[in-house]
Every structure is written in C-alpha cells, then in structure tokens.
C-alpha cells in the first residue's frame, strides 16, 4: 500500500462535492482509503493518523486529495477526484452571482432578510452570529454545532427578536419561499413550528395536498425541545406565528419534548388555535389547555389542523387494505420480517412508534428502546435511518443521493425472511431529481424475489420532481403506495401480521 | 433578560436570501423566483478553532459595542485635518531626545536584536549628533547603554524605512486641531548614500548634517511663511494624479512645492539654491509629511476604547508590531516578514535583503498607500503591470477595512473612497493582511536600497490581537 496526497492551493469545495469526490475515489479498484478534504488543522491531524504526511505548507482553504492504494489504484484515485471536482460539475456553478463574504452580500442585496447557512459545523456559529448582527433571520442547516453555541445563538436571537432556525434544521418556509429541504406548497393560513425536518415536510405536503396552504414553516432543529435548550426557538416561533396576521392555526411538530419544556410551551392557552403533533407521544400531557389539540402522528397533526380550520381531511386509507390483502396472499409463510430503509429521520422514527404497537420490537440505529440495537438478532424487525452518519459513510445524504440506500436495498434481495420492505421517497427542493426512478431497478428485484414493498412519496404537485409521476413509477413496479407516511407504517405492519384491517387504524 | 421583555420576531413578507454554504440551496431558492445572493464561502481564520470562537463573539454579541467604537475611529480618521505647521528640532518637540536618546522605527528593540541596516542608521545618527566620533565608537556607546533607544511611535513620531533620529533632527510638525493631537516625522533624506536605507558612510552622515543645517532652516522658514497647510487636502488631489501617497508621492510633492515656491524664493538664506536643488530632486519629499499627518490622525483615533481597528502598524526589520485603538500599551508582535513580489537591483536578491522595515505603514491605516493603489499606474507597474493588479490591492484592503475615506477618492472605481480602518476581525477571518508597498535595503553590507516589493503583514500578531480584544471586551 502506498500513501499519496495531492494539494490544490486555495481551492475550497463544499462538503457535498467533497463527499462525491471521496466516494468516486473509494470506488476505484485497489483503493483502500481515500478522502477529499479541506486542509483544516483538524483534518490534517486525521490524515496524519492515517499515515499520510507532507502537508507542512497546507492551509485551511487548500484542497487535499489523499489516497492509500496499491499500485494500480493510486493515480486513478486522484484522477477520478479531479473528474468529479473540476470537470463534472463546472457548468452548474457558473450561473450564480456570488460574493466573497456576508458583508459583501449585504452590499449587493441591501434588502437581505434571511440567511441560509450550511457551512461545516465548526464554522457555522461564526456565520450565524454575523447574520444576527446584520439583522437577518437564519436557517442554520449545519450539524455539529455545540450545544453551548446553540443556546448562546438562540438566546441572542431571542433578545434581538430574530429567529435562529437550527442548528440541524433541514427545512423552513418563509413567506412562500422554501429554504433547505422543502416542498413547494400553496400560501395559506397554517403556520408550522417544527423540531423535525422530514416531519415538517410531511405536514407541509399533507396540508398542501389536502387543499390547505401554509403561511410559514419555522424549523428549530432537533434539540430545541430538549431540556438543555428549553424550547427557546419553539417558543419564539410560536410567538411569531401568533403575531403573524397571515397565520390562523399553529401546528407544532416535534418528538415528545422534555416534561418541563412541554409545560412551558404548552401550559398556557395560545391566542390562536394550536395543534401539537408530538410524534410517538405515549402518555397524556398534564395541564394542556383545551385550545391545544395534542396528537402523536404527523397525519393526525394535519387532520386536526384541518379540523381547527373547520375542514375535514380526506380519506387516508383508500385502496391500501385491498392491495395489502392481495400481497399477503402471495407471501411465503417464512417471510415474517419488516425492514424499513428510510432517508428521512423523522419518518423512520414515526414509523417505528406506530408499528411497535402491532409487531413488537424494532431494531434500529436510532432505537426507541435502548435494547433494540443493530446489528439486529436473526428474525428481528429492523428500521434504519440511512441519513445518519454511520450509514452515509462519506457519501451525501440519501435524500440527495440514493446510492447508499440502493446498496442497502440490494442486500435485501435474497433475504427470504423479509415480509415487507418499507421506504420513504422524499421530494421537494434539495432532494434528488428522480428518486423513485433511481430506486426502481432494485425495488423491482426485491419484488421479484417475493417480498412486498410499501412506499410513501412525500411531495406535492408543485414539487420539481412531480408527485404523481413519482407515485406512478412505484405503483407500476408493484409497490404499495400510501397516502401518508403513517399509513405506510400501518400497511407494513399489516403485511407482517397478515391483517389488512390494520391499515384502518385510528392513529 | 426575562422572556416577556423579548421582542417578537416579525417574519419578512418577501424573502431576500443570502446563501452561505451548499450551492444547491441557493439554486433552489432562485428557482422559486426568490432573490438570493450566494456567498463563495471560505474557511475562516485558517481553521484555527480558538480564533474562530473569538471571532464569533466579536462579530456576534460584542459587535454592537465594537462597531460603535469603530465608527468613531473611522470618523476621526476622516474628519481630522492634519495641518503642517513648520519644522522644529526633535528635542524641542520630544524632550526625551535631548537626553541622549535615539528614536527608531518599529516596535521597541534591544541593540543586540537590531538588524544591520537599522544599527547603521542609529550609528549615523549618533555620529551626526556629535555623541561619537565614528560608527564604531557609536556602536560601542549604544551597546554600553550610554545612549538610549526608543521607538519613535511611542513619542508621537513616525520615521520611514530604517530611520533613526537624534536630538537635532529637523522634524515636520503636524497638528490635528480637532483632535488636539500633534505628530512628527523627520525630513525625507532623499536617495543615494542615506541612513534611512541603512547606510552609515561619511557621505550618509553628511546628509544628516545637511538636512539639519541647510534644508531644515530654509524649508522651515518657507513653511512658516506659507502658514498652516492641510496636507491631506493635497494628498486628496495627488491621488487622481496617480499617487498612492506612499510608494509614489510625486504628484503630491509637486503640488506642495508649487504652493511653497513663492515663499522659498523669498529666502535670504545663502543655502537656499542648494536646498531648492535637493528638494526638486526628491520625488519622495512629501512621503514624510504624509506620515506625520497620518500619525496625527491615528493618535486621535487611538484614544477610542473597544475598537478593533489598528492604529499603530510598524516594523523595525526584526519585529512587526501593531497596536489597537484604545490600548496604547499593548503591542502585538511577530517576526518581520521578508518583502515579497520584489524587484531587485542587479546582483541583489532575497538573500541580500533585510526583512520589512519602517513606520510608513501608518499610511495604510488612514486610506493611503495600498488602499489607494487602484488609481496609480505607477503602483500598477510595480505590482505586475495591469491596472487590475492595482485595483486588486485596493480590493484586498477593502475586504479588511471598516470604512472608507471621505477625502481620498478613486476615479478609476467611480470615485469610491479608499478603504479606511484596518479591522483585525476582518483580517483574521479572511486571512488577508494589509499589504505595504515598500523599499528593500541590504541585509548586511550597508550599501542601501537593493530593490522594492510588497510586504504582507504577518497574520500572527492580528490573531493575538483578536484573542486579546475578545478577552478584554465585556
């Protein structure tokens, strides 16, 4: 094995591009280790631990291509990284009018009012502080921002009367503009505060498909309702929507908050009707006033929101029980397991909270019970959030790039214990341009091998990928495609239990 | 702060976004028909986590206080009017000089640590003062502590290149009445065998005597007769005529001598013709007036607390030093860098060059020199030949400066003001340090100037200053 590094001075590339290049390098025959990375002190230390050397003059904005390989792979590894970083995508970068830093951006566009920040976590706090100082609201997409920094940012935002949506907030929609991973929806009376990225997308998409528009969607990041952060931004978001003349109903989406946070957020009656969809909530909350309707699924959150507007949600069950029944008759008795392979973390979480009531323990990388870990024992049900770092493994998120999920789907093809493969297909800005079509060949193999496939397409008619077309691709393959994410979990449980009636569950 | 008191965020009715990070988010915002500007982001502060954390505070919760102070600093740098009053002996304006003290360029430095050209300059000054017979005995006297050394900057004085000055040196006196500050710089020594280029030959020492005994009296008399002159009004005219008023001061020098001419010809001093010949042959004559003027402004600006703007920047050939406004006692030091992108005289090169030296970088703090490079064909010729190179030098300063000049304007850039107020936060974040166009002197043989080039300030002293400012700002 030989170590080779190549340094390209002052050549910053964003994390998605670096991941693409890393993946391409790793795919070269003979390459044992590869990393395309910026030369920050921390990254250079990691490379040194891997046995690389020769970067004395490397600085943070130098691009470093590192390969450990046998003779044939070494040069080719570097070549393919160049191909990905410099040839393949050069066209995509040229159209944007760019500036060197935030201050220049404010000169270029003096009316700027929202910053979308997705720089690497260790540098995200600085950019967010600058944006707050400049009087902007912030969607902070970046992960790996320290808890103390998150609290400091949110406290400062609260003092300034600004919003810091994040860190780790994938989705927001302000005044009709989707930010981050967002579905295109009509404007309307519902304002959402969400501590769960794909949870926000699911309620946006359901409401839009059911004929109700959105005023704003305020993402707050997955930790906001933990005891440490104390719901700082959820509280600010709710207050903002209460004051917003375009908002009639407020929908809060989150995993169940810490008890003291639940009490402070939901303990007093809001000035507008409010629905709290606290995904997987199992106990009744104490002392929630009657003005707040509490439920524990995203579907119910959307249904209750329609109710608050005096409207009735359409049928969510449709033909699914019949399709499930059909599929059950064709299923070998040895096929007993549920395998869920998710791109959306909240959708994975919700599916597990729904299915365990019917099929028992589900093992996961994000388990509901700490005993239900992976690797799972033989015969166990499994749901994986493939967007977590341990599975992306140097590749872009599965919503952006289906590659990682295709690998996992391929592994299910010859497993004769699987009753049903459950998956989500998330559309909207940020997502892959044709996820269903890209997954289709592998799904077809799974269906041919004798397992059922239940899929949910999260999207709207306005999304660039086309909602109906994506659904049709999956239906034509023979997948069961449901109306909501919750119904997909129920349909999968119904197949495992050979009980089609389960799909009608009240939730 | 109680949550009840917090203002409620009001969301915009029309989004205008700035995207910092992944370009895909920018594309999707634009695709929705929403206005968006993309930031071509770079890793800040070289990825140094401690500096990044300090910057987050200095650009974040501490920004309001700092920006307010910086606004005052830039106002002072713009509003102060440096009036050239006349010429005085150094010991008359800096009394400590009478006490066998030599003022030198850059931060404080021990005799043993001084680079060769600065030592030679000190020796020349000591001999010219009559405190020693020759260079060798001057060296011995300084080494023995019989003659003291002090940074000019600590005495409201700035000196160019490897200058060292003694009690009898004739000094321009510049007063900034609005700010109540007064600053000094010696007369320019011209070219050839001169101490400010690290030469201590007899001819060089004779130049100091000529300046003291002939030039000083004639020029001082004419300046006094002319009356107080706004030096930066002249500099403001010199810039559209191609000066950056640091590396090139030819236009401003000519404007000044034009104004002075009626008073110079009235001189009854027998040396007047010789002095006039010397002045008309020295196109850098105005450099030192500009430096004293700049110093009179940074002295005033330097009184403002809590600012992140640099109000002292100087080098002694061994160390590079900066100080922040509001804290005159704390120097931030780094090794003086080599001068880069240099053009050398035949037979000379990096190996014969002393590191960056002199106090003239004070000009870069007030909007002259590098900030004014864009409009100077002479500077462009030096930086690579194209006006784009000169414009890039100004743009670099723009990236790291807090404000812009009200009086120095750049015709080539639609008359924008030159960048003013070097902000250490922006320096450390961007990694762009002030660039100073400067001469290069011989490292060891006392032969004087060997070339000219660009000296980039070392980032280390700015990082230290950022950490210190963070620590002392509430």
């Amino acid at each position: 094995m030989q170590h080779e590094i190549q340094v390209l001075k002052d050549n910053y590339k964003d994390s998605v591009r670096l991941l693409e290049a890393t993946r391409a390098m790793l795919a070269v025959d003979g390459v044992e280790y590869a990393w395309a990375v910026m030369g920050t002190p921390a990254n250079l230390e990691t490379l040194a631990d891997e046995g690389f050397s020769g970067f004395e003059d490397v600085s943070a904005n130098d691009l470093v291509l590192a390969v450990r390989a046998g003779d044939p792979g070494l040069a080719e590894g570097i070549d393919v990284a160049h191909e990905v970083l410099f040839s393949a995508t050069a066209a995509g970068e040229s159209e944007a009018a760019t500036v060197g830093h935030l201050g220049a951006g404010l000169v270029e566009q003096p009316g700027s009012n929202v910053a979308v920040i997705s720089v690497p976590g260790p540098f995200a706090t600085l950019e967010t502080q600058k944006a707050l100082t400049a009087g902007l609201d912030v969607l902070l997409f970046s992960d790996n921002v320290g808890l103390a920094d998150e609290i400091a940012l949110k406290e400062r935002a609260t003092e300034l009367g600004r919003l810091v949506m994040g860190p780790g907030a994938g989705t927001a929609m302000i005044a009709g503009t989707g930010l981050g991973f967002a579905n295109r929806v009509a404007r309307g009376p519902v304002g959402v505060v969400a501590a769960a990225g794909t949870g926000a997308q699911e309620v946006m998409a359901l409401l839009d498909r059911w004929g109700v528009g959105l005023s704003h969607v305020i993402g707050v990041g997955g930790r906001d309702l933990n005891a440490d952060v104390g719901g700082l931004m959820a509280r600010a978001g709710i207050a903002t929507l209460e004051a917003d003349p375009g908002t009639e109903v407020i929908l809060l989406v989150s995993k169940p908050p810490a008890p003291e946070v639940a009490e402070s957020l939901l303990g007093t009656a809001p000035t507008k009707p409010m629905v709290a969809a606290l995904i997987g909530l199992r106990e009744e909350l104490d002392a929630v006033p009657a003005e707040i309707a509490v439920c524990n699924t995203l579907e119910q959150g959307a249904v209750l929101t329609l109710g608050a507007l005096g409207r009735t949600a359409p049928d969510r069950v449709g033909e699914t029980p019949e399709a499930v029944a059909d599929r059950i008759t064709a299923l070998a008795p040895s096929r007993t397991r549920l395998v869920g392979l998710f791109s959306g973390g909240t959708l994975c979480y919700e599916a597990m909270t729904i299915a365990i009531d019917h099929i028992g323990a589900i093992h996961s990388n994000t388990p509901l019970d700490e005993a239900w870990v992976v690797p799972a024992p033989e015969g166990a049900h499994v749901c994986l959030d493939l967007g977590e770092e341990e599975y992306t493994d140097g590749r872009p998120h599965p919503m952006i790039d289906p590659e990682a999920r295709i690998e996992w789907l391929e592994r299910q093809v010859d497993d004769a214990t699987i009753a049903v493969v459950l998956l989500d297909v998330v559309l909207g800005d940020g997502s892959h341009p044709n996820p269903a079509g890209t997954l289709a060949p592998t799904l077809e193999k799974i269906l041919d091998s004798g397992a059922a496939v239940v899929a949910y397409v999260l999207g709207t008619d306005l999304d660039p990928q086309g909602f109906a077309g994506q659904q049709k691709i999956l239906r034509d393959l023979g997948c069961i495609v449901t109306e909501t994410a919750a119904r997909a979990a129920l349909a999968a449980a119904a197949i495992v239990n050979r009980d089609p009636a389960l799909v009608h569950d009240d939730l | 702060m109680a949550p009840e008191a917090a203002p409620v965020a009001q969301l915009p009715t029309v989004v205008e976004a700035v995207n910092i990070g992944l370009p895909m988010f920018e594309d999707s915002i634009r695709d929705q028909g929403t206005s968006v500007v993309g930031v071509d982001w770079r890793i800040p502060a070289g990825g140094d986590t401690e500096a990044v954390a300090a910057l987050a505070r200095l650009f974040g919760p501490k920004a309001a206080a700092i920006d307010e102070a910086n606004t005052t600093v830039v106002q002072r740098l713009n509003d102060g009017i440096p009036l050239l009053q006349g010429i005085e002996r150094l010991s008359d304006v800096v009394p400590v000089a009478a006490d066998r003290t030599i003022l030198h360029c850059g931060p404080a430095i021990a005799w043993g640590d001084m680079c060769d050209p600065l030592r030679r300059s000190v020796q020349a000054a000591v001999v010219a003062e009559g405190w020693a017979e020759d260079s060798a005995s001057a060296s011995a006297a300084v080494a023995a502590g019989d003659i003291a050394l002090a940074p000019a900057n600590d005495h409201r004085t700035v000196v160019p290149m490897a200058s060292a000055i003694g009690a009898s040196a004739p000094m321009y006196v510049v007063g900034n009445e609005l700010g109540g500050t007064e600053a000094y710089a010696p007369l320019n020594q011209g070219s050839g065998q001169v101490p400010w280029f690290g030469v201590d030959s007899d001819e060089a020492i004779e130049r100091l005597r000529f300046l003291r005994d002939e030039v000083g009296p004639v020029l001082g008399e004419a300046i006094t007769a002319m009356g107080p002159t706004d030096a930066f009004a002249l500099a403001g005219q010199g810039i559209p005529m191609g000066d950056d008023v640091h590396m090139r001061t030819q236009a401003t020098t000519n404007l000044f001598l034009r104004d002075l001419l009626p008073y110079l010809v009235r001189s009854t001093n027998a040396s007047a013709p010789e002095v006039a010949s010397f002045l008309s042959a020295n196109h850098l004559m105005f450099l030192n007036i500009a430096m004293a003027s700049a110093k009179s402004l940074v002295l005033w600006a330097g009184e403002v607390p809590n600012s992140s703007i640099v109000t002292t920047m100087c080098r002694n050939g061994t160390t590079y030093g900066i100080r922040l406004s509001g804290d005159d006692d704390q120097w931030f030091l780094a090794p003086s860098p080599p001068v880069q992108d240099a053009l050398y005289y035949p037979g000379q090169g990096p190996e014969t060059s002393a590191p960056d030296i002199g106090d003239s970088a004070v000009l870069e703090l007030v909007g002259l020199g590098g900030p004014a490079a864009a409009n100077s064909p002479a500077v462009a010729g030096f930086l690579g030949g194209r006006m784009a190179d000169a414009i890039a030098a100004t743009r670099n300063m723009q990236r790291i400066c807090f404000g812009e000049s009200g009086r120095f304007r750049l015709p080539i850039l639609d008359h924008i003001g030159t960048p003013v107020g070097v902000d250490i936060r922006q320096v450390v974040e961007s990694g762009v340090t002030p660039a100073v166009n400067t001469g290069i002197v011989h490292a060891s043989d006392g032969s004087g100037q060997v070339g000219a080039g660009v000296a980039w300030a070392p980032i280390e002293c700015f990082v230290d200053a950022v950490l210190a400012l963070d620590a002392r700002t509430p």
Side-chain angles (χ1 to χ4, degrees):
Chain A
M1 285 292 151
Q2 299 174 52
H3 292 80
E4 171 102 3
I5 64 161
Q6 190 181 78
V7 178
L8 296 118
K9 297 299 281 182
D10 198 18
N11 221 317
Y12 180 80
K13 299 290 172 195
D14 69 61
S15 57
V16 172
R17 304 279 301 286
L18 293 171
L19 292 173
E20 287 169 353
T22 300
R23 188 182 75 192
M25 290 157 82
L26 286 168
V28 171
D29 276 346
V31 170
E32 184 203 74
Y33 174 96
W35 201 19
V37 68
M38 300 314 299
T40 62
N43 290 340
L44 296 180
E45 212 168 291
T46 305
L47 284 176
D49 292 343
E50 287 289 338
F52 291 90
S53 59
F55 26 70
E56 290 74 20
D57 294 327
V58 176
S59 52
N61 287 299
D62 297 345
L63 171 64
V64 181
L65 304 175
V67 186
R68 181 165 65 229
D71 246 348
L74 209 57
E76 198 192 335
I78 299 277
D79 285 349
V80 298
H82 274 265
E83 181 67 27
V84 169
L85 289 167
F86 298 106
S87 318
T89 49
E93 286 186 341
S94 56
E95 64 179 279
T98 53
V99 295
H101 58 112
L102 174 61
L106 299 175
V107 172
E108 178 86 18
Q109 182 182 269
S112 298
N113 45 31
V114 176
V116 178
I117 296 174
S118 57
V119 302
F123 310 109
T125 300
L126 169 57
E127 294 302 332
T128 307
Q129 291 284 21
K130 284 163 57 185
L132 286 176
T133 298
L136 308 185
D137 293 314
V138 178
L139 175 70
L140 179 48
F141 180 86
S142 311
D143 282 324
N144 298 320
V145 172
L147 187 63
D149 279 353
E150 174 172 353
I151 293 167
L153 288 171
K154 287 180 169 175
E155 283 178 342
R156 180 161 184 244
T158 305
E159 285 172 26
L160 295 170
R162 297 261 75 92
L163 298 176
V164 169
M165 299 178 271
T171 300
M173 192 276 281
I174 305 297
T177 297
L179 306 171
F181 291 96
N183 300 88
R184 303 226 180 150
V185 297
R187 301 292 296 276
V190 179
V192 175
V193 172
T198 41
Q201 289 193 266
E202 169 71 338
V203 297
M204 287 172 85
L206 289 181
L207 289 168
D208 179 80
R209 296 209 306 262
W210 297 347
V212 172
L214 285 290
S215 57
H216 305 285
V217 176
I218 299 171
V220 296
R223 290 190 302 216
D224 191 73
L225 277 73
N226 291 357
D228 300 313
V229 186
L232 274 170
M233 263 315 115
R235 186 178 301 110
I238 290 168
T240 299
L241 294 176
E242 285 191 277
D244 174 43
T247 301
E248 293 171 31
V249 178
I250 298 167
L251 169 55
L252 172 69
V253 175
S254 174
K255 291 179 184 178
E260 62 269 36
V261 177
E263 196 188 318
S264 95
L265 276 184
L266 304 173
T268 48
T271 56
K272 292 178 180 175
M274 184 164 150
V275 176
L278 306 177
I279 307 151
L281 181 75
R282 299 194 99 71
E283 304 93 35
E284 289 271 313
L285 288 178
D286 294 338
V288 174
E291 289 83 352
I292 304 178
V294 179
C295 61
N296 64 4
T297 62
L298 298 163
E299 180 189 309
Q300 278 302 301
V303 169
L304 293 174
T305 301
L306 260 71
L309 289 164
R311 301 174 60 152
T312 309
D315 171 48
R316 282 88 67 197
V317 177
E319 309 289 306
T320 303
E322 292 74 20
V324 166
D326 271 1
R327 198 67 219 188
I328 289 171
T329 57
L331 211 56
S334 62
R335 291 188 171 273
T336 56
R337 294 173 58 219
L338 162 68
V339 174
L341 297 172
F342 288 88
S343 61
T346 310
L347 301 180
C348 178
Y349 181 83
E350 185 191 52
M352 292 193 293
T353 64
I354 291 169
I356 53 165
D357 287 343
H358 305 291
I359 64 171
I362 300 173
H363 286 253
S364 176
N365 59 321
T366 55
L368 298 180
D369 183 310
E370 60 187 24
W372 301 341
V373 293
V374 284
E378 207 169 303
H381 306 300
V382 175
C383 281
L384 300 179
D385 173 5
L386 296 174
E388 288 289 324
E389 219 168 285
E390 63 263 37
Y391 295 122
T392 54
D393 189 28
R395 288 170 297 207
H397 192 280
M399 275 162 54
I400 304 173
D401 177 354
E403 199 62 37
R405 187 148 67 156
I406 286 170
E407 280 174 29
W408 276 92
L409 287 167
E410 287 284 345
R411 292 188 210 178
Q412 317 306 322
V413 172
D414 296 321
D415 186 338
T417 69
I418 296 176
V420 56
V421 170
L422 171 62
L423 71 154
D424 59 342
V425 173
V426 180
L427 311 183
D429 287 306
S431 289
H432 189 274
N434 180 14
T438 310
L439 296 170
T442 314
L443 294 176
E444 192 166 23
K445 283 194 240 174
I446 292 172
L447 289 162
D448 288 349
S449 79
V453 174
V454 174
Y456 172 63
V457 179
L458 191 170
T460 71
D461 292 333
L462 301 169
D463 281 333
Q465 295 89 347
F467 177 65
Q470 291 286 303
Q471 279 197 321
K472 182 170 190 300
I473 290 170
L474 297 170
R475 283 214 177 93
D476 288 352
L477 290 172
C479 301
I480 295 168
V481 179
T482 60
E483 175 61 19
T484 72
R487 295 297 149 185
L490 286 170
I495 290 169
V496 170
N497 286 0
R498 311 302 198 261
D499 177 9
L502 256 185
V503 182
H504 291 282
D505 192 282
D506 283 341
L507 292 173
Chain B
M1 167 157 211
E4 290 78 23
V8 172
Q10 267 197 326
L11 290 168
T13 51
V14 177
V15 166
E16 292 187 47
V18 180
N19 186 64
I20 307 168
L22 303 175
M24 58 186 252
F25 293 141
E26 180 188 336
D27 295 341
S28 67
I29 292 169
R30 186 174 292 113
D31 194 40
Q32 296 173 71
T34 297
S35 176
V36 59
V37 170
V39 170
D40 189 20
W41 185 81
R42 292 290 178 271
I43 292 169
D48 174 345
T49 49
E50 199 187 356
V52 169
L55 288 175
R57 291 183 288 269
L58 293 172
F59 276 124
K62 300 178 182 181
I66 290 171
D67 289 349
E68 192 188 339
N70 288 354
T71 301
T72 305
V73 166
V74 169
Q75 245 166 27
R76 290 186 176 193
L77 294 176
N78 276 334
D79 293 352
I81 296 173
L83 293 178
L84 175 63
Q85 324 263 20
I87 291 175
E88 303 282 353
R89 279 170 57 98
L90 177 62
S91 58
D92 289 343
V93 288
V94 179
V96 70
D99 196 19
R100 292 170 76 87
T101 299
I102 297 287
L103 301 188
H104 61 78
C105 60
I109 184 169
W111 175 246
D113 297 328
M114 270 187 185
C115 65
D116 176 85
L118 184 51
R119 281 188 187 214
R120 289 177 189 271
S121 187
V122 170
Q123 287 160 189
V126 169
V127 175
E129 290 303 321
W131 296 339
E133 282 293 310
D134 54 24
S135 278
S137 49
S139 168
V142 178
D146 295 341
I147 292 165
L149 300 168
N153 262 288
D154 280 350
H155 298 280
R156 299 181 287 163
T157 301
V158 280
V159 298
M161 293 300 294
S163 287
I165 51 175
S168 66
M171 306 294 290
Y172 290 117
V173 176
V174 174
N176 161 27
E177 265 179 54
L178 203 56
T181 53
E182 192 171 274
Y184 320 105
L187 307 191
N188 191 277
Q189 297 171 8
S191 54
Q193 299 249 334
V194 279
W196 73 309
F197 288 142
V199 184
D200 62 344
S201 63
D202 290 346
E203 194 182 331
I205 294 164
E206 188 48 41
R207 181 67 59 87
L208 294 182
R209 295 190 183 112
F210 171 66
L211 287 162
R212 177 187 64 202
D213 300 334
E214 320 294 338
V215 184
V218 173
L219 190 56
E221 191 185 10
I223 290 171
T224 307
M226 178 169 66
T229 298
D230 178 353
F232 276 1
L234 289 177
Q237 295 172 58
I239 288 171
M241 298 164 78
D243 280 355
D244 71 331
V245 200
H246 184 169
M247 189 193 168
R248 184 187 194 263
T249 62
Q250 192 150 347
T252 317
T253 295
N254 291 352
L255 291 170
F256 179 73
L257 289 178
R258 179 204 61 184
D259 288 353
L260 198 66
L261 187 61
Y263 307 97
L264 216 44
V265 296
R266 288 190 178 91
S267 177
T268 54
N269 192 313
S271 306
E274 199 187 350
V275 170
S277 297
F278 172 74
L279 293 178
S280 74
N282 183 8
H283 56 79
L284 283 172
M285 186 230 176
F286 193 79
L287 172 67
N288 300 35
I289 298 173
M291 286 173 59
S293 301
K295 183 66 176 172
S296 78
L297 299 185
V298 294
L299 279 171
W300 186 31
E303 295 164 3
V304 179
N306 296 326
S307 166
S308 61
I309 291 178
V310 177
T311 49
T312 301
M313 183 162 73
C314 60
R315 321 76 98 193
N316 61 29
T318 305
T319 47
Y320 199 109
I322 61 170
R323 287 185 295 194
L324 294 184
S325 173
D327 192 356
D328 230 21
D329 294 332
Q330 195 171 10
W331 286 86
F332 302 98
L333 302 173
S336 206
V339 180
Q340 296 172 6
D341 285 359
L343 301 172
Y344 293 104
Y345 296 169
Q348 305 291 346
E351 60 289 342
T352 59
S353 298
D356 189 25
I357 192 163
D359 294 339
S360 61
V362 69
L363 295 166
E364 269 70 13
L365 303 180
V366 301
L368 296 172
N375 206 64
S376 175
V379 172
F382 179 74
L383 292 175
R386 304 175 311 155
M387 288 312 285
D389 298 321
I391 290 169
T394 290
R395 293 288 184 206
N396 266 343
M397 290 302 292
Q398 216 173 24
R399 172 68 184 90
I400 58 174
C401 283
F402 188 81
E404 65 177 56
S405 176
R407 61 185 138 208
F408 305 134
R409 296 193 171 273
L410 298 165
I412 198 171
L413 297 178
D414 282 339
H415 299 283
I416 63 164
T418 63
V420 168
V422 174
D423 181 349
I424 56 166
R425 299 175 303 177
Q426 296 182 64
V427 170
V428 172
E429 183 190 27
S430 66
V432 174
T433 59
V436 178
N437 302 328
T438 186
I440 310 172
V441 297
H442 198 282
S444 58
D445 73 1
S447 60
Q449 186 166 11
V450 297
V454 181
W456 278 278
I459 189 76
E460 296 82 1
C461 48
F462 293 87
V463 173
D464 289 347
V466 156
L467 297 178
L469 180 66
D470 178 43
R472 76 168 186 236
T473 307

